[in-house]
């Protein structure tokens, strides 16, 4: 009998699948979104901690920094951040609830409902960011 | 192959089949075959015709044909299906890509090594054969109609292939094994202590991220994702109770 | 049940869930207070100082920082543990993330207390 060769699909290809919801169902899309927003938010947390360190430079340093933060491009990034937070937060609640064995049969409906809520909250937040 | 006008007009479908033979076709490549398909032609029908008339070296596994043995699991256009019930004209394209299941070692062409699957499944404590099958007078457990019968699992390995975690972490017990563990728990086949010892670690029940793709692709309505979540609830309850008892 | 080596028990998912639920409350507070209560958001140095001069705010901000850092590090761990790591590599990952978490936490707490002191002196 021929010895089967341990031929595994390359690890890189398997890791790519974490970020590819094509041909998959809503739960997988939720998993992909959770992973992308999660990584993004960790990166943001680290950047945020460095940026607020500028407060140590006193009023002059901080207030000039805030002026650059008011450019429309940075405000647009703020909206991206809020989108990430909303998706991750609402999805996280869903994962917690179904992760405890509740509502698993309707997890797709819960997902789309929460994402609709996320879109509404995002629209409201974007309006606040650009007008207030 | 079914050759009956009753099943609608025939259409030529191109199959791109992954080929791999250790030492001969290595690295793997895709071979292209053309087959005539009507509304009821399945992927397995097509593979059998290819083997009979175009390339006798094509390797794939199959047994029963009506989706009850779980032998012909494969990825058709990127989605795990049983070849015997996956209809060729329902795959959404004229070019259909056929690949072996992921997260299992490839042996040749569409044949994968099922050993890792069995290793995760059997130790969970699920009997692979029901005792009642040998005992016509066996009584059905109370409440059996309220849960999806885990015995519906046909051990096809499709859930593991669709699981994003099992594909990157071979140590993960995976959907079928965890679902089997839950089943062993609720039937009393195994004690909670035994079941939790098997699943309560980083490569066990906690590794699942609830993508629920296992349940989406399961051809036998076992709904492993639901079972993993239920198992986690049992374990969380157990841990919380123990925490407060101690405190 | 299983003849393979006994694996270390884990319930870290529970912590991920608990901190996550806490964050829904804390982050909502953080976002609303920082950016939507003050007209134009909490922006100038003076406004930041006035806000953080409140001891209750300092406590909430520090609790938020600890919870968010813990949640973030657990999340990174959860992703990395989806890779085929050896037990040794797993220990290394956990230790490295603990270190990063402690540095972020210490820096944030220092910053909050320093600003609190500045606010009190002003």
């Amino acid at each position: 009998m021929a010895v089967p060769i341990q031929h595994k699909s390359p690890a890189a290809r398997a890791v790519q699948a974490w970020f590819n919801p094509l041909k998959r169902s809503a739960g997988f899309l939720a998993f992909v979104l959770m992973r992308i927003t999660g990584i993004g938010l960790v990166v943001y947390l680290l950047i945020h901690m460095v940026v607020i360190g500028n407060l140590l430079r006193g009023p002059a340093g901080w207030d000039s920094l805030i002026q650059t933060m008011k450019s429309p491009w940075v405000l647009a990034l703020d909206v991206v951040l809020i989108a990430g937070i909303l998706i991750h937060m609402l999805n996280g609640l869903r994962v917690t609830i179904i992760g405890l064995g509740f509502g698993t049969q309707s997890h797709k409906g819960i997902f789309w409902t929460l994402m609709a809520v996320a879109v509404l909250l995002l629209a409201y937040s974007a309006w606040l960011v650009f007008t207030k | 192959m079914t050759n009956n006008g009753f099943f609608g007009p025939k259409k030529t479908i191109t199959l791109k089949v992954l080929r791999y033979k250790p030492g001969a076709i290595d690295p793997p490549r895709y071979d292209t075959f053309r087959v005539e398909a009507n509304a009821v032609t399945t992927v397995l029908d097509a593979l059998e015709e290819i083997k009979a008339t175009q390339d006798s070296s094509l390797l794939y596994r199959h047994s029963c044909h009506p989706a009850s043995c779980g032998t012909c699991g494969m990825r058709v256009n990127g989605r795990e299906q049983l070849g015997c019930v996956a209809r060729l004209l329902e795959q959404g394209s004229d070019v259909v890509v056929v690949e072996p299941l992921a997260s299992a070692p490839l042996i040749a062409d569409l044949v994968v090594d099922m050993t890792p699957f069995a290793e995760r499944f059997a130790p969970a404590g699920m009997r692979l054969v029901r005792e009642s099958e040998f005992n016509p007078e066996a009584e059905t457990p109370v409440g059996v109609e309220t849960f999806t019968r885990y015995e519906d699992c046909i051990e096809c390995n499709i859930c593991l292939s669709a699981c994003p975690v099992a594909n990157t972490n071979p140590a993960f017990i995976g959907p079928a094994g965890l679902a089997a563990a839950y089943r062993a728990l609720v039937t009393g086949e195994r004690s909670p202590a035994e079941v939790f010892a098997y699943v309560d670690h980083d490569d066990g029940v906690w590794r699942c991220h609830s993508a629920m793709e296992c349940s989406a692709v399961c051809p036998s309505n076992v709904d492993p994702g639901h079972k993993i979540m239920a198992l986690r609830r049992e374990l969380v309850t157990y841990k919380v109770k123990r925490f407060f008892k101690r405190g | 049940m299983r003849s393979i080596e006994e694996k270390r028990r884990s319930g870290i998912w529970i912590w991920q869930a608990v901190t996550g639920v806490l964050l829904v409350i804390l982050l909502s507070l953080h976002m609303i207070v920082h950016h939507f209560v003050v007209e134009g958001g909490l922006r100038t140095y003076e406004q930041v100082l006035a806000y953080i001069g409140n001891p209750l705010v300092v406590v909430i901000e520090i609790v938020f920082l600890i919870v968010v850092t813990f949640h973030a590090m657990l999340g990174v761990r959860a992703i990395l543990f989806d890779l085929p790591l050896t037990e040794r590599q797993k220990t290394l990952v956990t230790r490295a993330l603990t270190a990063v978490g402690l540095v972020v936490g210490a820096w944030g707490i220092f910053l909050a207390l320093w600003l609190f002191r500045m606010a009190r002196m002003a």
Side-chain angles (χ1 to χ4, degrees):
Chain A
M1 194 182 109
V3 180
I5 287 181
Q6 296 291 305
H7 181 95
K8 283 181 184 149
S9 59
R13 225 178 115 180
V15 170
Q16 267 177 20
W18 288 351
F19 305 103
N20 182 7
L22 287 178
K23 313 256 181 184
R24 297 299 182 188
S25 53
F28 201 98
L29 175 62
F31 164 82
V32 172
L33 287 174
M34 204 63 184
R35 197 142 280 211
I36 292 171
T37 53
I39 294 169
L41 289 171
V42 171
V43 172
Y44 171 75
L45 173 68
L46 298 177
I47 294 173
H48 185 61
M49 294 309 290
V50 172
V51 168
I52 58 172
N54 279 295
L55 282 163
L56 291 178
R57 290 163 56 203
W62 180 257
D63 291 343
S64 65
L65 182 73
I66 287 304
Q67 277 312 310
T68 59
M69 293 284 182
K70 280 184 176 168
S71 91
W73 292 107
V74 181
L75 290 182
L77 283 178
D78 279 347
V79 175
V80 173
L81 169 69
I82 294 170
I85 290 172
L86 287 172
I87 291 170
H88 198 85
M89 182 191 277
L90 294 169
N91 230 326
L93 285 176
R94 169 187 157 277
V95 172
T96 306
I97 293 163
I98 70 163
L100 290 171
F102 300 103
T104 46
Q105 305 294 357
S106 37
H107 75 97
K108 287 182 192 175
I110 298 172
F111 171 67
W112 292 119
T113 308
L114 288 175
M115 287 306 100
V117 173
V119 169
L120 291 177
L121 287 175
L122 181 65
Y124 178 62
S125 309
W127 178 75
L128 284 179
V129 166
F130 282 107
T131 58
K132 295 251 169 179
Chain B
M1 198 169 169
T2 320
N3 189 4
N4 187 341
F6 181 76
F7 293 112
K10 289 198 165 182
K11 193 175 173 185
T12 305
I13 295 289
T14 304
L15 272 86
K16 276 179 72 180
V17 184
L18 187 129
R19 304 300 304 275
Y20 170 70
K21 310 263 189 228
I25 307 176
D26 195 356
R29 63 163 196 246
Y30 290 93
D31 279 357
T32 304
F33 303 99
R34 279 184 185 79
V35 292
E36 295 282 300
N38 64 23
V40 294
T41 307
T42 66
V43 175
L44 184 57
D45 289 334
L47 293 174
E48 288 182 322
E49 183 178 299
I50 292 166
K51 191 175 175 72
T53 63
Q54 301 184 42
D55 185 345
S56 60
S57 72
L58 179 65
L59 292 175
Y60 51 89
R61 292 172 75 229
H62 81 88
S63 180
C64 75
H65 284 84
S68 60
C69 73
T71 314
C72 63
M74 54 187 78
R75 280 183 296 156
V76 183
N77 275 354
R79 204 165 164 78
E80 289 75 9
Q81 301 178 58
L82 291 176
C84 65
V85 287
R87 288 180 172 173
L88 214 45
L89 296 189
E90 291 172 9
Q91 301 305 320
S93 61
D94 291 349
V95 178
V96 174
V97 180
V98 184
E99 296 162 304
L101 292 178
S103 73
L106 183 58
I107 294 175
D109 293 350
L110 301 174
V111 181
V112 295
D113 185 356
M114 298 288 275
T115 315
F117 178 80
E119 278 174 355
R120 295 159 199 223
F121 186 86
M126 253 328 279
R127 293 212 177 92
L128 295 181
V129 181
R130 275 175 287 177
E131 261 181 285
S132 59
E133 282 179 320
F134 304 104
N135 178 8
E137 284 162 25
E139 281 181 30
T140 330
V142 179
V144 74
E145 64 284 351
T146 62
F147 35 66
T148 321
R149 291 172 62 230
Y150 187 74
E151 286 82 350
D152 285 346
C153 178
I154 54 175
E155 297 117 43
C156 63
N157 207 351
I158 273 181
C159 56
L160 236 80
S161 176
C163 173
V165 180
N167 271 302
T168 51
N169 182 354
F172 177 42
I173 296 175
L178 289 171
Y182 176 70
R183 188 79 180 114
L185 179 75
V186 294
T187 56
E189 195 117 351
R190 302 281 171 174
S191 72
E194 280 179 300
V195 172
F196 295 151
Y198 178 59
V199 303
D200 180 15
H201 54 82
D202 281 324
D203 295 322
V205 72
W206 308 113
R207 193 82 269 111
C208 169
H209 298 298
S210 314
M212 305 296 270
E213 195 63 18
C214 50
S215 290
V217 296
C218 177
S220 199
N221 294 319
V222 171
D223 197 356
H226 174 80
K227 304 292 187 294
I228 299 172
M229 301 297 101
L231 179 61
R232 196 182 272 172
R233 178 173 61 196
E234 298 295 330
L235 185 50
V236 170
T237 311
Y238 173 81
K239 276 178 182 276
V240 169
K241 272 187 188 161
R242 210 183 43 176
F243 179 80
F244 282 109
K245 244 182 220 167
R246 202 186 282 163
Chain C
M1 173 163 275
R2 199 182 197 198
S3 53
I4 307 170
E5 86 281 15
E6 177 83 8
K7 297 217 177 190
R8 204 184 309 154
R9 299 263 172 146
S10 175
I12 281 172
W13 182 88
I14 301 174
W15 287 109
Q16 186 78 329
V18 169
T19 53
V21 171
L22 283 175
L23 279 178
V24 174
I25 304 159
L26 291 167
L27 186 64
S28 302
L29 274 177
H30 181 83
M31 291 292 289
I32 291 167
V33 172
H34 273 254
H35 302 288
F36 298 138
V37 169
V38 183
E39 187 68 22
L42 191 69
R43 296 250 164 93
T44 67
Y45 186 78
E46 214 173 293
Q47 284 172 324
V48 173
L49 234 52
Y51 168 73
I52 208 133
N54 183 339
L56 184 67
V57 169
V58 177
V59 172
I60 292 175
E61 286 296 317
I62 289 177
V63 171
F64 170 62
L65 171 78
I66 292 170
V67 175
V68 79
T69 309
F70 192 40
H71 186 84
M73 294 303 118
L74 287 183
V76 175
R77 183 181 178 274
I79 293 176
L80 292 176
F81 273 38
D82 286 347
L83 297 168
L85 304 181
T86 62
E87 290 304 313
R88 201 181 116 76
Q89 287 167 329
K90 283 181 185 176
T91 310
L92 279 176
V93 164
T94 306
R95 280 188 193 159
L97 290 173
T98 308
V100 173
L102 287 174
V103 169
V104 171
W107 165 244
I109 291 170
F110 160 74
L111 205 56
L113 293 178
W114 188 83
L115 288 169
F116 178 68
R117 202 169 133 256
M118 293 298 287
R120 288 279 140 161
M121 289 197 315

